[in-house]
Amino acid sequence: MIRIVVADDHTVLRQALARVLNTRPDMEVVGEAATGAEAVRMAQELTPDVVLMDITMPDGDGITATARIRDMGLSVAVLILTVHDRDEYLFRALRAGALGYVLKETDLDELLTAVRRVAEGHVYIQPAMASKLVADYLQRGYTEVAGVNAQDNLSVREREVLRLIAAGRYSDAY
């Protein structure tokens, strides 16, 4: 059973998500938070497997709450569910410790897949956002480690797959 805390300041959305998630045989919503501070408190007290976290909330936004959860050493996977499709939010969320990033415009099946993936400890980034991440990586063309060119460590096929993903051509990449 995947234990979930839903954190979103919009009550009707939070309650609707909780109801839908509770209909799944492998998921149970154990708490609902309306603020970032409540999400952190519930993550600590309820020890869920996943916190489904909005970014824009009062009393500590979702990215700050994610960093606090990580800094507390809690073994909780944070999946960001947001309207923000700008890459700076994605990068900040990942740096804060989020394992996933999904836009609220996604369909239910993709959201359920994302919850299951992050609960297993995997990273899940919605394809539209993943292409931004790959594009940024390719644009930089290097790692932060001693200025080593990251592309030098990739095969020709790996570079081709990254370019296809960045262009949004996921099926061509495989």
Side-chain angles (χ1 to χ4, degrees):
M1 185 68 74
I2 301 170
R3 296 169 35 87
I4 304 165
V5 167
V6 177
D8 195 296
D9 60 325
H10 294 97
T11 305
V12 71
L13 177 62
R14 187 177 65 247
Q15 291 174 346
L17 279 170
R19 285 188 183 152
V20 168
L21 294 171
N22 278 328
T23 66
R24 300 302 181 242
D26 61 336
M27 296 181 189
E28 175 187 18
V29 175
V30 295
E32 295 179 33
T35 69
E38 284 180 3
V40 172
R41 182 181 53 76
M42 286 185 179
Q44 188 173 29
E45 292 174 4
L46 302 174
T47 62
D49 301 301
V50 175
V51 174
L52 191 55
M53 184 87 71
D54 187 19
I55 288 179
T56 308
M57 293 187 292
D59 196 20
D61 65 83
I63 293 174
T64 301
T66 299
R68 287 183 59 204
I69 289 169
R70 182 203 59 215
D71 291 346
M72 295 169 88
L74 301 175
S75 62
V76 176
V78 175
L79 172 60
I80 300 291
L81 179 63
T82 184
V83 298
H84 298 291
D85 65 353
R86 297 193 339 238
D87 52 0
E88 66 261 19
Y89 284 104
L90 169 64
F91 301 150
R92 285 180 53 218
L94 294 175
R95 280 192 300 272
L99 278 184
Y101 197 98
V102 177
L103 298 176
K104 287 183 177 177
E105 66 192 34
T106 193
D107 63 43
L108 180 59
D109 288 336
E110 184 168 10
L111 177 61
L112 296 172
T113 297
V115 169
R116 290 180 180 113
R117 295 292 293 163
V118 300
E120 295 169 350
H122 301 287
V123 172
Y124 187 93
I125 300 173
Q126 186 172 10
M129 297 305 293
S131 64
K132 292 181 180 207
L133 189 62
V134 172
D136 180 71
Y137 174 82
L138 291 173
Q139 180 183 3
R140 289 181 203 219
Y142 64 90
T143 64
E144 299 297 325
V145 180
V148 175
N149 187 336
Q151 291 183 18
D152 289 344
N153 295 325
L154 300 177
S155 70
V156 171
R157 177 63 180 151
E158 288 169 331
R159 283 187 290 241
E160 177 186 354
V161 167
L162 281 173
R163 283 189 192 95
L164 289 168
I165 291 171
R169 296 172 47 200
Y170 313 107
S171 59
D172 294 343
Y174 304 101

